[in-house]
Amino acid sequence: MRKMLLLLGAVLTVLSASARDKNFYIYLCFGQSNMEGNARFEPQDTCGVSERFLVMSAVDCPDLGREKGKWYRAVPPLCRCHTGLTPADYFGRTLIGNLPEKVRVGIVHVAVGGCRIELFDEDKCQDYVASSPDWLQNMVKEYGGNPYARLVELARLAQKDGVIKGILLHQGESNTGDPEWPQKVKLVYERLLSDLNLKAKHVPLLAGETVNADQNGKCASMNAIIDELPRTIPTAHVISSAGCPAAQDSLHFTAQGYRMLGTRYGEQMLELLGEGKASE
């Protein structure tokens, strides 16, 4: 009986592996408000989205006809039901525009505006949330009280369909001036790799800068710390925000800023995939 069960388990594993599409590239996206998407998306952002670019809904959105854990064409909003344009929008479009037709791109997206990186540290999450303002707690509730756990839950579902090829991060405004930020990001990154049985050499981390000093970014000083991330995580790559237009609050990007930043994330990933830079 035991031998039969072992044989059945082996067969199911093979079937599961064969059902997974190696040409379905999955990317995990997390962070705070600039990853969440602060600018309103515009008509141009909802048109012409390829059927090959998908998002796995992280929450139930009845008004959008979306259910948590299911794939949909990646028409914004990608994060939650009422969020805005995010770097992930044009990251995915850039990949789709430059990768072979057989390749699909899927986004798993979890972000909470205003959060510190500690929100994604499972050892600190509950204490951090408990001491946070109501508005942040309410956003966290949309993810079942633990955004990191929701990210892992969805990522495991996504792994049944495709292959995780990278992780995108945009966070740092709420940790401005924190010299330990790179180590804190490393902890989250390595835990994600462990929980999802991934290897760093196959799953690079792309981290975007905050609004740049050339746009009078209020948290631009954080970019010096973000730029040090590859020293702590050898498989990390920093995405420049230079020249990306900022909103009036000097904390967030405009829609055009998100398009530019997202395209840069995509160009970096294309290089890592061996596809070279996206065509101009």
Side-chain angles (χ1 to χ4, degrees), residues 112-115 119 128-129 132-141:
V112 175
C115 76
L119 179 65
Y128 175 69
V129 173
S132 297
D134 290 345
W135 57 263
L136 190 145
Q137 291 188 28
N138 289 334
M139 283 192 283
V140 169
K141 287 177 183 177

Side-chain angles (χ1 to χ4, degrees), residues 41-63:
F41 48 85
E42 300 170 356
Q44 64 178 295
D45 305 312
T46 63
C47 299
V49 180
S50 172
E51 297 287 347
R52 295 163 48 216
F53 180 29
L54 305 174
V55 62
M56 178 178 279
S57 189
V59 297
D60 290 325
C61 293
D63 291 346

Side-chain angles (χ1 to χ4, degrees), residues 163-182:
V163 180
I164 295 176
K165 290 281 191 176
I167 299 172
L168 279 59
L169 168 68
H170 199 289
Q171 195 281 330
E173 292 88 349
S174 293
N175 286 84
T176 296
D178 181 358
E180 297 301 315
W181 184 83

